[in-house]
Amino acid sequence: MATVPGSKFVVLLRVSTKKQGADGLGVAAQRRDIELFLKQQEAPVVLAELLEVESGSAADRPVLDQALALCRKHKAILLVQKVDRLTRDLEILAKILKDKQVVVKVAHLPNADNFQLHLFGCLADQEREFIKIGRAHV
């Protein structure tokens, strides 16, 4: 993994439910993995860490919008733990990856290119469908 000294990052943490956000389920693991990623970088600068409590497939995501705006403004990299922490909607992922002003890095896939992120996005989208089906049968 090539590093650029002093790379700027906007960290996005996401959980799906208020309960997960309130009790920290998943947030600590996301932070741990992101810290491990950042330790591999040369003098990284974290401009912001944003926590979003929202479904990964929701259309209206003001925290994600804020993170993307910060990345564009400061020419920063959007850093997430896993692709599904960014989104479980393949269309949303494709739109973000197509944005020439935004670079996405995934702590679990430090060397992944956009093609590989799309593949993992397909898996996250399918998992979203499985989650919906599971809820329907409860």
Side-chain angles (χ1 to χ4, degrees), residues 4-113:
V4 177
S7 290
K8 296 178 277 189
F9 294 91
V10 173
V11 173
L12 178 65
L13 309 170
R14 185 186 66 77
V15 292
S16 298
T17 66
K18 287 184 178 26
K19 182 180 181 336
Q20 289 173 319
D23 63 19
L25 284 177
V27 173
Q30 289 178 58
R31 278 195 180 114
R32 179 199 64 223
D33 293 347
I34 285 171
E35 286 300 318
L36 289 171
F37 173 91
L38 290 170
K39 284 181 182 178
Q40 301 301 310
Q41 306 303 303
E42 189 177 331
V45 176
V46 176
L47 299 175
E49 177 186 283
L50 304 173
L51 175 60
E52 182 175 48
V53 181
E54 186 64 66
S55 167
S57 61
D60 184 31
R61 296 188 43 204
V63 176
L64 174 59
D65 294 340
Q66 179 185 2
L68 293 169
L70 284 169
C71 288
R72 289 181 194 107
K73 179 179 179 181
H74 298 285
K75 294 181 175 41
I77 297 165
L78 180 61
L79 178 59
V80 295
Q81 177 205 30
K82 298 189 304 184
V83 173
D84 67 4
R85 297 300 84 203
L86 178 55
T87 183
R88 289 188 186 274
D89 185 305
L90 192 55
E91 289 181 59
I92 293 171
L93 178 65
K95 182 179 176 186
I96 292 168
L97 294 178
K98 193 174 183 178
D99 186 333
K100 299 294 185 204
Q101 293 182 302
V102 176
V103 173
V104 175
K105 284 291 184 183
V106 177
H108 275 198
L109 304 165
N111 298 312
D113 59 21

